[in-house]
Structure formats: C-alpha cells, structure tokens
Amino acid sequence: MTDEMLRWRTERFTDLADGPADGDVVTVRPEQVVEIAIDGIQRSTRYPGGIALAFSRVLGYRDDKRFDEVDTVDAVRALGPG
C-alpha cells in the first residue's frame, strides 16, 4: 500500500465515520464499496454472519458501484461450505 493510498483511505473512512470510535472499532456509513479477494470461506461461530473469509484482502475501492448493488452475506455464504 502506498502512502498516498493509506492517506486517502484514512481520510475517506474518517469522513464516513458514524460517531466516535469505540476502542478499536469505528462504525462507518455504508457508502464505500470495497472489492475483497478471498481464498476460501469457512463456517464460523465467532462472527454474526456465520462465516469467515480465509486470507481476505482488499483489491480496490469501487466508485462505480453503489452499496445497494453489492453481494450480501447470504450470497457469500452460498459460495461456501453447506
């Protein structure tokens, strides 16, 4: 990640913050679409969606998509173990 990308990302998500940070957690408004690559999907009892994304990483930020056009947890869950 370049210094420029880190600076942009920090500013962008700070602007989208929906209130003050709660420890290490910052809640943001769902306005920025992030493209994520994964190596697999596993069942998980740790996360509310019931799945964990193995080796997930950010590929890019999609300004050509609106947040209501993204895949849902249900769509991602359908790709994983049954």
Side-chain angles (χ1 to χ4, degrees):
M1 179 181 305
T2 65
D3 288 344
E4 181 180 333
M5 177 53 73
L6 182 57
R7 196 170 18 263
W8 175 85
R9 192 169 77 170
T10 300
E11 289 175 10
R12 176 67 174 147
F13 288 103
T14 297
D15 290 344
L16 293 176
D18 195 21
D22 181 13
D24 292 335
V25 176
V26 177
T27 302
V28 296
R29 294 184 311 278
E31 297 174 17
Q32 180 67 57
V33 175
V34 181
E35 186 174 7
I36 304 291
I38 60 172
D39 287 345
I41 301 170
Q42 303 169 242
R43 288 187 194 155
S44 174
T45 57
R46 178 178 291 183
Y47 301 108
I51 57 173
L53 306 178
F55 301 104
S56 59
R57 59 222 173 262
V58 174
L59 289 182
Y61 299 92
R62 300 285 304 267
D63 292 328
D64 61 318
K65 284 191 162 250
R66 297 185 321 266
F67 73 93
D68 58 347
E69 297 176 303
V70 302
D71 287 330
T72 64
V73 171
D74 289 334
V76 175
R77 196 181 293 122
L79 299 173

